[in-house]
């Protein structure tokens, strides 16, 4: 699962640049329509969430807390992307991908197994001095 989290993080960082470019174009389209659309700004906000989640996914791929944080950010980005796309229809695709990534990180957090600590029997422990 560590490799999958790293790959998802790298894909997220790469997709962020595509989303920024498309969001800027959608923002210009919103401005030219002059109807008060916000899909360009929403796309930039979603791209920032994906960028943060991608960086955390790479940096904290060995921890349960990192997986939970990424799942929350991807879910938030997915919900924002699906609900407020406006003229920027590709934002629905990015939102769906974010929700898939959130499910992967949620499964990773649930199935996470930390480092196993060695159980040392009492006979192997060093004797303790109980002087008063």
């Amino acid at each position: 699962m560590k490799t999958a989290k790293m790959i998802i993080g790298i894909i997220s960082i790469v997709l962020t640049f595509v989303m920024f470019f498309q969001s800027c174009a959608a923002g210009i389209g919103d401005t030219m329509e002059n109807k008060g659309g916000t899909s360009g700004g929403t796309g930039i906000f979603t791209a920032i969430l994906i960028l943060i989640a991608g960086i955390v996914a790479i940096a904290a791929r060995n921890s349960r807390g990192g997986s939970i944080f990424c799942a929350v950010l991807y879910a938030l980005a997915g919900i924002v992307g699906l609900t407020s796309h406006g003229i920027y229809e590709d934002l629905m695709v990015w939102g769906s991908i974010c929700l898939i990534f959130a499910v992967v990180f949620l499964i990773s957090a649930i199935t996470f197994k930390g480092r196993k600590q060695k159980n040392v029997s009492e006979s192997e422990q060093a004797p303790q001095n109980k002087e008063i």
Side-chain angles (χ1 to χ4, degrees), residues 6-102:
M6 185 172 66
I7 290 171
I8 288 174
I10 292 169
I11 289 171
S12 297
I13 292 170
V14 171
L15 288 180
T16 298
F17 295 111
V18 175
M19 286 183 64
F20 272 129
F21 178 72
Q22 288 180 341
S23 297
C24 289
I28 291 171
D30 282 337
T31 304
M32 292 170 75
E33 266 187 10
N34 203 11
K35 293 183 180 178
T38 60
S39 60
T42 303
I44 290 174
F45 178 69
T46 305
I48 290 171
L49 288 177
I50 293 173
L51 179 65
I52 294 169
I55 292 170
V56 172
I58 293 171
R61 66 182 178 270
N62 298 328
S63 71
R64 183 178 199 168
S67 296
I68 294 169
F69 181 77
C70 288
V72 169
L73 276 186
Y74 280 126
L76 181 64
I79 291 169
V80 168
L82 288 175
T83 57
S84 57
H85 55 83
I87 65 167
Y88 182 24
E89 297 291 328
D90 289 348
L91 198 54
M92 290 176 52
V93 174
W94 303 127
S96 301
I97 290 172
C98 287
L99 289 177
I100 293 169
F101 289 170

Side-chain angles (χ1 to χ4, degrees), residues 120-132:
V120 180
S121 65
E122 292 180 21
S123 62
E124 295 175 357
Q125 290 180 352
Q128 297 176 358
N129 293 335
K130 295 184 179 180
E131 295 179 14
I132 298 178

